[in-house]
Amino acid sequence: TCNQGVAAPSAVTLCTPTGIAMDAAGNLFVADHYNHRVLVYAPPIYNDMDAFTVLGQVGVAGLSECNRGGDASAATLCGPHDVAVDSDDNVYVAEYSNNRVLGYRRPQQSDTIADLVFGQHGDFTSRTGNNGGVSPSSLEGPYAVTVDRDGNVYIADYQNHRVLAFSQPWETDTVADVVFGQQGDFTTGE
């Protein structure tokens, strides 16, 4: 059952995991959808299965509210659906319910506050779907995220029926460079 039938999540429980990824060191990242967090586990083969850090909540135990029960921010998550890790150990979390993807610069080695936001025109506090209309800078219900070996990010924008590609966003910006599924039109969706 969700959280092993206990009301509050802990470092050893999950509630509807929807995405997984590994970094180069073998750390496992799990999108814990209904606990509104991403748990990070040390290499699982040698681990006691307790998460050692969490993205989106305060600590690994106790809280499981969307955006920590408040507004969206660089420190919160709501309905994370997928997670990806690039070759530099940066982490990307597709948040279906906040209509955004967050990018974290090596969170397993530093803090758990997001450094990049895709889909909200750079605003970490907005969670509006297609904020300002369908564009290369908007998302509605991002469902999946992946990264290629060159650091390009690809986001499945579920409600807009498209995939957006972002060329090396850590070096450029979070405005999509290519759109798949809409014949090159960034303003078609929904």
Side-chain angles (χ1 to χ4, degrees), residues 48-181:
D48 62 4
M49 298 303 129
D50 286 6
F52 72 85
T53 197
V54 64
L55 307 177
Q57 295 291 352
V58 179
V60 294
L63 191 61
S64 66
E65 295 178 335
C66 171
N67 295 321
R68 298 182 187 169
D71 295 326
S73 74
T76 66
L77 293 171
C78 186
H81 201 273
D82 196 23
V83 61
V85 181
D86 69 19
S87 61
D88 290 326
D89 290 336
N90 299 313
V91 176
Y92 306 85
V93 178
E95 279 187 275
Y96 186 85
S97 299
N98 274 341
N99 298 299
R100 65 186 186 176
V101 171
L102 294 182
Y104 299 82
R105 188 174 297 279
R106 299 178 193 90
Q108 60 279 44
Q109 300 168 6
S110 61
D111 66 45
T112 58
I113 306 297
D115 301 289
L116 290 178
V117 60
F118 299 79
Q120 296 295 338
H121 305 282
D123 183 354
F124 285 96
T125 62
S126 176
R127 58 182 299 205
T128 305
N130 291 324
N131 188 0
V134 181
S135 75
S137 298
S138 71
L139 295 169
E140 186 167 16
Y143 213 69
V145 60
T146 194
V147 186
D148 68 19
R149 68 181 194 281
D150 296 323
N152 301 311
V153 176
Y154 302 84
I155 298 172
D157 190 9
Y158 181 77
Q159 295 294 333
N160 286 324
H161 312 284
R162 65 186 185 173
V163 171
L164 296 178
F166 301 80
S167 178
Q168 301 177 340
W170 292 102
E171 298 173 22
T172 58
D173 56 36
T174 58
V175 177
D177 299 290
V178 177
V179 60
F180 299 88

